[in-house]
Amino acid sequence: MQKKIETALISVYHKDGLDLIVRSLNNYGVKLYSTGGTYDFIKNIGIETTKIEDITGYPSIFDGRVKTLHPKVFGGILSIRENPTHQEESQKYEIPPIDLVIVDLYPFQETVKNETEESIIIEKIDIGGISLIRAAAKNYKDVLVVSNRGQYHDLCCMLEEHKCHTNLETRKRYAMEAFGVSSDYDTSIFNWFDNYNYSQLKISCPHGTTLRYGENPHQNAVFFGNFDEMFTQLHGKEISYNNLLDIDAAVNLINEFEDTTIAILKHNNACGLASGNNLIQAWKDALASDPVSAYGGIIISNKIIDHDTAEEINKIFFEVIIAPNYSKDALEILEQKKNRIILVQKHNHLQSKLVRTSLNGFLLQDRDIKTETIDDLSYVTNKKPSQEEISDLLFANKIVKNTKSNAIVLVKGSQLLASGTGQTSRVDSLKQAIEKAKNFGLDLNGAVMASDAFFPFSDCVKIAYDEGITSVIQPGGSIRDEETVKFCNDNDISMVFTGVRHFKH
């Protein structure tokens, strides 16, 4: 049902782009009502408007806290045009109908990011604006509500194309978006009052991107977040659900390392990782860990990709590459494959909480940001690890922290030799890692072993010893720790406890 916009109420915080809308409305003879700074803005561009106080008979009071909260304003928005009783009451109380409401809320979210003074934050909680939005959205059959600046361009086009008329479908769509704005705004306010303690789970993320499919082609999927705020995609196809899971795992993993490091991931686990004095050597060592699993994987570097490294990387097929940047000639090499996704990572700031569905509810926990350093190590065996072994132990512990449980990681010389991931027993994980290392001709003599949780028995340490592994890092805490430590002492193996478990499901 087409409706002509005859009157509009405009009350906005930000004025950018508003002039085009106001001029268009004026050209179609729309009567404009406005508040405070919006009134001044409209008058300054030479267009007539009426102060909202002229409708209500009341000035803006209490330092602007009360401007539009009046029956003559909300009656004009909420009255049902086809309801005779409503129209009789509108005439009786001299309430003018309002066909269009344009509101831009006080910037509460932005204020919280940049301000700590409570009184300033409180004053950025919009009351009148949010009420106008909800009222107009509720009465979408008669009223069009514009609730954010992102709609201004669409509104301008609509006004011109339909000569200031709106249809029911458009009004309902704008109403839905308005309640989305309202919900997001109230969620931010609640979480601030709650000191972000999550006494209730309230999450609002207005940016949704429909993906090609979920984990499998028969599953629908949407990514809620602002991917472009964290990455710039320079090349390649549309990013998939599985790509996003791998990218998330890759970013979490590479965040652990400061030295020049490259990692290769497959199904959220590292199949290759190495640090080195230069990027090309780190790449070669990372690939050597498991060149078979590297096929179709995700590559991430914490340094700029140069020409020589790009040439080597380009020899294999991979889905995604992530780096702080790329040299011009490196980019030319990597762009040779049309669908290859090339990302520049702008920053590494990740959410502090992790949320996932479980049964008929949700699980929420802190992100695991604990990374052990040399000061966290407890030396529990007679033999102490060498400085080189300590370096490798900490290196391995970073990897095992980011590997699916049960997890065992074998490392030597800042190179991941092999890992056992996602097995139902720790012994199976170790055997898997040993077999992979041997398959690719990697020497385990002098390597170190990391476990994401304690060893319930000494069997893993015995197996590792037989393969030439000389040092072990684990959380400790088993009732059989004494037995495991005794085996290490009897066989000249060094072991350190961290006291921290890193399960990952």
Side-chain angles (χ1 to χ4, degrees):
M1 179 180 175
Q2 290 280 334
K3 281 186 175 287
K4 171 76 164 63
I5 298 173
E6 302 283 358
T7 56
L9 169 58
I10 308 175
S11 180
V12 299
Y13 185 87
H14 297 98
K15 313 298 189 293
D16 301 342
L18 184 62
D19 57 328
L20 295 176
I21 295 172
V22 171
R23 293 183 195 282
S24 182
L25 292 171
N26 185 63
N27 289 340
Y28 286 105
V30 177
K31 183 172 181 59
L32 304 179
Y33 302 105
S34 55
T35 63
T38 306
Y39 173 86
D40 294 335
F41 175 84
I42 295 173
K43 293 290 285 186
N44 287 338
I45 61 174
I47 292 175
E48 281 302 311
T49 179
T50 300
K51 286 184 177 181
I52 204 70
E53 294 94 314
D54 294 339
I55 298 177
T56 65
Y58 279 88
S60 173
I61 57 177
F62 307 131
D63 298 320
R65 282 189 166 200
V66 179
K67 294 192 286 282
T68 58
L69 297 169
H70 193 280
K72 284 197 172 183
V73 174
F74 283 87
I77 296 170
L78 287 165
S79 64
I80 299 173
R81 309 311 195 251
E82 295 179 358
N83 186 312
T85 302
H86 286 202
Q87 295 314 301
E88 288 173 10
E89 291 176 341
S90 294
Q91 291 179 9
K92 178 179 179 180
Y93 297 110
E94 298 179 335
I95 299 174
I98 297 173
D99 305 319
L100 169 64
V101 174
I102 303 175
V103 174
D104 175 33
L105 298 173
Y106 291 164
F108 178 82
Q109 292 100 323
E110 290 80 1
T111 302
V112 168
K113 288 178 184 177
N114 302 309
E115 182 60 62
T116 58
E117 178 58 46
E118 182 175 295
S119 62
I120 295 175
I121 293 172
I122 289 292
E123 290 309 312
K124 287 298 182 287
I125 298 176
D126 204 315
I127 302 300
I130 203 76
S131 301
L132 291 170
I133 286 174
R134 291 176 62 83
K138 176 178 179 176
N139 201 24
Y140 69 88
K141 289 186 177 180
D142 292 310
V143 181
L144 176 69
V145 57
V146 176
S147 54
N148 67 84
R149 287 175 289 165
Q151 297 170 322
Y152 284 6
H153 176 72
D154 184 56
L155 176 62
C156 282
C157 294
M158 181 174 59
L159 291 173
E160 295 304 319
E161 183 178 350
H162 299 288
K163 302 188 185 306
C164 213
H165 285 73
T166 65
N167 59 43
L168 181 61
E169 181 183 358
T170 298
R171 294 194 299 273
K172 190 171 185 179
R173 173 169 60 86
Y174 271 63
M176 177 196 70
E177 293 176 7
F179 281 118
V181 168
S182 172
S183 173
D184 182 57
Y185 198 72
D186 285 342
T187 295
S188 298
I189 294 169
F190 169 82
N191 286 330
W192 179 76
F193 270 97
D194 192 39
N195 290 317
Y196 305 96
N197 288 324
Y198 292 89
S199 63
Q200 299 178 32
L201 180 59
K202 294 188 182 296
I203 299 173
S204 181
C205 189
H207 303 288
T209 303
T210 300
L211 304 174
R212 283 176 290 160
Y213 51 82
E215 282 186 289
N216 302 291
H218 62 275
Q219 295 171 272
N220 296 325
V222 180
F223 171 67
F224 289 97
N226 189 353
F227 187 82
D228 293 338
E229 189 268 333
M230 193 167 184
F231 299 96
T232 298
Q233 183 170 352
L234 302 179
H235 183 77
K237 64 183 179 182
E238 180 183 340
I239 293 171
S240 71
Y241 182 98
N242 291 325
N243 290 154
L244 287 168
L245 291 177
D246 282 329
I247 291 167
D248 179 76
V251 170
N252 276 279
L253 177 60
I254 207 70
N255 280 355
E256 306 279 357
F257 299 92
E258 296 181 1
D259 294 336
T260 300
T261 303
I262 286 188
I264 310 166
L265 290 89
K266 195 75 169 286
H267 297 296
N268 311 157
N269 292 303
C271 58
L273 189 150
S275 296
N277 294 325
N278 57 73
L279 199 61
I280 192 167
Q281 189 58 53
W283 164 253
K284 289 178 178 178
D285 289 344
L287 182 62
S289 301
D290 187 348
V292 173
S293 295
Y295 181 88
I298 303 285
I299 299 168
I300 189 166
S301 168
N302 61 0
K303 304 297 179 186
I304 296 172
I305 303 292
D306 56 53
H307 171 274
D308 292 345
T309 306
E311 279 199 325
E312 290 298 317
I313 291 174
N314 199 45
K315 293 176 181 178
I316 72 164
F317 167 73
F318 59 91
E319 287 261 341
V320 181
I321 185 167
I322 309 163
N325 216 329
Y326 306 82
S327 68
K328 183 179 178 181
D329 47 2
L331 194 57
E332 290 174 354
I333 293 169
L334 296 172
E335 287 178 340
Q336 290 174 7
K337 301 293 184 182
K338 181 179 70 172
N339 290 328
R340 179 179 288 163
I341 297 168
I342 302 176
L343 300 175
V344 171
Q345 184 178 343
K346 300 176 185 178
H347 65 77
N348 60 0
H349 309 310
L350 298 169
Q351 299 281 1
S352 61
K353 304 289 183 181
L354 300 178
V355 182
R356 63 188 294 178
T357 60
S358 178
L359 302 175
N360 62 344
F362 300 87
L363 290 171
L364 181 144
Q365 67 170 346
D366 297 331
R367 180 178 294 280
D368 185 356
I369 59 173
K370 174 66 176 173
T371 300
E372 288 71 48
T373 68
I374 191 170
D375 295 330
D376 297 309
L377 303 182
S378 296
Y379 303 94
V380 296
T381 53
N382 296 332
K383 182 182 180 181
K384 301 295 186 290
S386 67
Q387 288 301 310
E388 184 177 351
E389 285 174 328
I390 290 174
S391 177
D392 277 347
L393 288 169
L394 293 172
F395 186 93
N397 199 55
K398 292 175 180 178
I399 302 173
V400 84
K401 169 188 168 183
N402 290 276
T403 302
K404 299 287 186 183
S405 302
N406 287 308
I408 293 288
V409 164
L410 307 178
V411 162
K412 183 166 69 174
S414 298
Q415 177 191 16
L416 170 64
L417 298 182
S419 60
T421 66
Q423 300 303 301
T424 52
S425 82
R426 211 155 292 282
V427 171
D428 287 343
S429 291
L430 175 57
K431 288 180 177 178
Q432 180 191 60
I434 291 169
E435 182 181 0
K436 289 181 73 172
K438 288 182 175 180
N439 285 344
F440 298 116
L442 298 172
D443 183 11
L444 293 176
N445 283 295
V448 305
M449 176 173 69
S451 174
D452 63 334
F454 64 66
F455 294 111
F457 303 96
S458 60
D459 45 8
C460 280
V461 179
K462 292 176 182 178
I463 295 170
Y465 170 74
D466 290 340
E467 299 298 333
I469 289 164
T470 57
S471 193
V472 179
I473 185 170
Q474 60 140 321
S478 167
I479 59 174
R480 295 183 179 83
D481 279 348
E482 187 176 333
E483 171 191 323
T484 303
V485 170
K486 182 179 185 303
F487 178 85
C488 291
N489 285 333
D490 291 345
N491 292 278
D492 205 29
I493 301 172
S494 61
M495 178 177 284
V496 297
F497 287 175
T498 64
V500 179
R501 186 182 72 188
H502 289 295
F503 273 168
K504 188 175 182 223
H505 295 99

